[in-house]
Amino acid sequence: MTDTSQVPQASGDRAREAAVEAALGRLDLDAKARLLSGQDSWSLPGLPEIGLRSLVMSDGPIGVRGTRWTADDPSVALPSPTALAATWDPELARRAGVLLAQEARRKGVHVLLAPTVNLHRSPLGGRHFEAYSEDPYLTGRIGAGYVNGVQSGGVGTTVKHFVANDAETDRFTVDNLVSERALRELYLAPFEAIVENAHPWGIMTAYNTVNGTTMSEHRYLVNEVLRGEWGFDGYNVSDWTAARSTTGAIDGGLDVAMPGPRTVYGAPLAKAVRDGAVAETTLDAAVRNVLRLAARVGVLEGAEPAVTDLPATVDGSALAREIAHRSFVLVRNEGYALPLPAGHTVALSGAAARDARVLGGGSATVFPARIVSPLDGLTAALPEGALSYSVGADPNTELAVADKGFTLRAVCRDAAGTVIGTGSAPNGQINWMGSDLPEGVTHDRLHTVELTGTLTPRHTGPHTFGIKGLGAFTLTVDGTTHYDDIQTTDSDDPFIAFFGDPVPRAEAQLTADTGVEVSLTYVVSFPKDTPMPTVAFSLCHQEPRRDPDELIAEAAEAARTADTAVVVVATTDRVESEGFDRTDLRLPGRQDDLVRAVAAANPHTVVVVNSGSPVELPWRDEVAAVLLTWFPGQEGGAALADVLTGIREPGGRLPTTWGTLADAPVTQVIPTNGELPYTEGVFIGYRAWEKEGKVPSYPFGHGLGYTDWTYESAEAEGSGATGVTVTVRVTNSGTRPGRETVQAYLAPTTQDPDRPARWLAAFAGIEVAPGATTEVTLELPRRAFEIWDESANAWAFVKGSYEIQIGRSITDHRLTAPITV
């Protein structure tokens, strides 16, 4: 393929390129080097001499945080990326992107640090809720939809984390050893598809190392593959603090080192050019990429933005609700337990029904203006008196960030004790990175931060308080100082204050509905020469622990007297979060016991699973229905009520195989001597389950609706060299309108032990009225018939006979269309 690294894609025109070249020509060496280094945590410096305004970035997989992590400017919170992938709908992903671009413009953000398109290699990956799927084709299709949507709104995307950042353990240093074939067919494939089909304006290189070279310096994968073979013409930014070497990074194709102001670029880069260690043409290429991005998003004078006609305004709450019900996967529905019959009384249980987890932990966190819990949603949807609620079991088995019942604010003081600023604190977590400080507060004056306010307890009894973070703290509850000391740890993780374990430090006997004063004061300390001064700590809390057997018995008794029992089970941010991997797939606490007790009391038990990625469901055959709702976003409870009552159909299909950890074929996420070999090669996800002959709980692609489908016929045309077209006739043979996801899997008729038995090659969604028949066209691309030939270092078209298996999941084939290519 021709090297097109300096040729703009269709999204940039010649006039914009001319403006970029003119601006580049007016910059001196120091200004060019400074542009490539963040001026703070979230932005690049403006250069008034060329009419360049500061370019602002923000995390944004499910909502746009903005440059300040604050609830003062709320963000729409969409369902998690796994939920978006579960819709199997690139157009819906595009609409989500349009909304996020709208949110970004409102918050003054030019570039979103999203989407995450790493694969679900092992079910133990702690951050999988932020990635889409175990399948590269599905991931590429959903990711391209998202990118097209965001960039249609004039906001850039940064597809991440390039590449093989598929687990969290030792993510800063791990050397992932991956064969070239596995890289090409699996881990690079979503990035390649998105570059080809959506032309993203940015890529983020990962913390990890691949085959001996850290990704922020990986010249082969960045310059030769991404830019050379694929023709990517956007900017390449490091993951935050990942850039380690001035010459290694710039020669390896890294354009921007974040966060600033102290990075390996800026003054060190200018010096490297002057010393002859870096060619100025290499520096210019990086600056050109950044200026091109600036031109596209409209912050470079003399260059017309790539988008001047913005999409129509999107109703964020309505779209969040739609994505949620379209993402819910009904994996079991015995005796048509769902939708709930009209007039049924419902016994709802589970602490997660009251305190819903709507988004995952880590950098994707945002603060929505409202959250609709399952309890809220069902209370609004059902007639008065039809719903009862009991806690049953709590997934939080340890302290969590202070939230329900707390009203907090952050008070900043200087060394003399004078208040220099205040900030909102919607929960007990403070995470101020770089310049993200309350108005009027500066690092040089900031001496203490006090989280202070009131707790109005929901329950009488002993309440436990604790601290997450490092340094000197003073914890006071109801006028009594319980802790005044320095909290330390042996961990060298720079984000330990954010992702570490909370430490219990106080217990206080409190009375329900009687407010008490609570205060946690932190003495600010910044390590010497820190590249990113950060204030990060949390006030944590745990409510009184009632006897779990009593709580479960109460829920079972309530279920016994109701027509239908609904149990909501969930993970917590101590189970699924950025920063660490999982050690098992079990639901925390006594939630499994709760489900079994309720199911024994009521045969019409529906279990709602509130998790971002797979958990084990040991009771799945003992209940009437199982509905997976992922992390469903701010409108999750309203969408759940829509689906349970039948107003809406659960539209999702599994983007990842669900099974037990004991049966999972690929589980290794812990490096040995700093290395993590991907010994499974191209066999992850359903490919590996089939190779190992293991039967999962629920297969990839599975999902039930509220109507029935008859697959009538399938006809395939094409040589494979330019792709294959399959026309499928499908009838809605049920009694209500429905949506179906028609899936096509390509299976060689002669099995090759080095190739999967079958793989997803195409899919499409259809909406059909009851009794009606429709035709859907599936386009299988040439790439579906190719493998990466390591000896030739090229894609090889594999001739022969194949079956195109049409159906409802990887295991549910309804039709077969033979094809010889």
Side-chain angles (χ1 to χ4, degrees), residues 21-386:
E21 292 300 325
L24 176 63
R26 297 199 301 274
L27 292 176
D28 62 24
L29 174 59
D30 292 311
K32 287 188 289 189
R34 188 166 70 251
L35 177 60
L36 305 186
S37 185
Q39 69 174 351
D40 54 29
S41 295
W42 305 113
S43 68
L44 297 183
L47 300 175
E49 63 268 33
I50 59 169
L52 176 67
R53 302 196 304 278
S54 176
L55 192 147
V56 179
M57 313 171 200
S58 172
D59 285 307
I62 57 97
V64 181
R65 187 175 67 234
T67 58
R68 295 187 181 278
W69 212 329
T70 173
D72 293 338
D73 183 16
S75 307
V76 174
L78 297 177
S80 64
T82 45
L84 190 60
T87 69
W88 287 56
D89 189 345
E91 170 58 20
L92 192 56
R94 186 197 65 80
R95 291 171 55 204
V98 170
L99 170 66
L100 293 175
Q102 175 181 302
E103 285 279 279
R105 294 193 306 271
R106 180 175 66 81
K107 289 174 174 279
V109 169
H110 305 115
V111 181
L112 290 187
L113 303 173
T116 301
V117 299
N118 301 113
L119 298 183
H120 297 178
R121 172 180 169 267
S122 162
L124 294 177
R127 199 178 181 181
H128 282 348
F129 61 85
E130 195 180 318
Y132 291 128
S133 169
E134 69 187 21
D135 182 78
Y137 177 74
L138 175 60
T139 296
R141 290 280 305 277
I142 298 298
Y146 176 101
V147 168
N148 278 321
V150 173
Q151 293 184 175
S152 74
V155 174
T157 56
T158 310
V159 188
K160 64 185 187 182
H161 306 86
F162 191 77
V163 61
N165 183 181
D166 309 304
E168 295 294 281
T169 303
D170 295 345
R171 61 177 175 157
F172 302 106
T173 58
V174 61
D175 185 2
N176 293 323
L177 307 180
V178 193
S179 71
E180 186 73 12
R181 183 177 173 192
L183 269 175
R184 294 288 188 154
E185 294 186 19
L186 295 178
Y187 304 103
L188 288 170
F191 292 94
E192 181 182 9
I194 292 169
V195 168
E196 179 180 357
N197 297 309
H199 306 300
W201 299 345
I203 294 281
M204 180 189 291
T205 43
Y207 289 119
N208 56 276
T209 291
V210 172
N211 298 332
T213 304
T214 184
M215 280 309 306
S216 59
E217 302 172 24
H218 215 301
R219 180 179 180 85
Y220 168 65
L221 289 177
V222 174
N223 284 347
E224 296 183 32
V225 176
L226 174 64
R227 294 198 184 280
E229 293 181 28
W230 301 350
F232 172 70
D233 73 336
Y235 88 120
N236 171 22
V237 62
S238 70
D239 206 339
W240 267 223
T241 73
R244 301 171 176 91
S245 162
T246 300
T247 57
I250 195 71
D251 287 335
L254 183 72
D255 298 325
V256 174
M258 290 294 290
R262 189 176 295 117
T263 76
V264 297
Y265 284 176
L269 180 55
K271 182 178 186 300
V273 173
R274 289 191 174 98
D275 291 347
V278 171
E280 189 161 2
T281 54
T282 302
L283 170 65
D284 287 349
V287 173
R288 185 178 289 110
N289 293 331
V290 174
L291 292 175
R292 183 179 297 124
L293 172 67
R296 285 168 167 165
V297 300
V299 297
L300 179 64
E301 283 183 13
E304 185 176 87
V307 176
T308 55
D309 187 11
L310 295 175
T313 301
V314 178
D315 183 325
S317 295
L319 183 58
R321 187 167 179 167
E322 179 183 355
I323 294 172
H325 71 70
R326 286 283 310 282
S327 73
F328 293 170
V329 183
L330 183 61
V331 293
R332 179 178 173 86
N333 194 21
E334 295 299 300
Y336 299 101
L338 293 178
L340 298 173
H344 261 216
T345 57
V346 175
L348 178 66
S349 62
R354 177 193 61 192
D355 304 327
R357 188 175 184 205
V358 301
L359 42 80
S363 59
T365 302
V366 295
F367 299 115
R370 73 168 197 159
I371 292 175
V372 183
S373 70
L375 179 56
D376 296 333
L378 284 170
T379 299
L382 297 177
E384 186 174 351

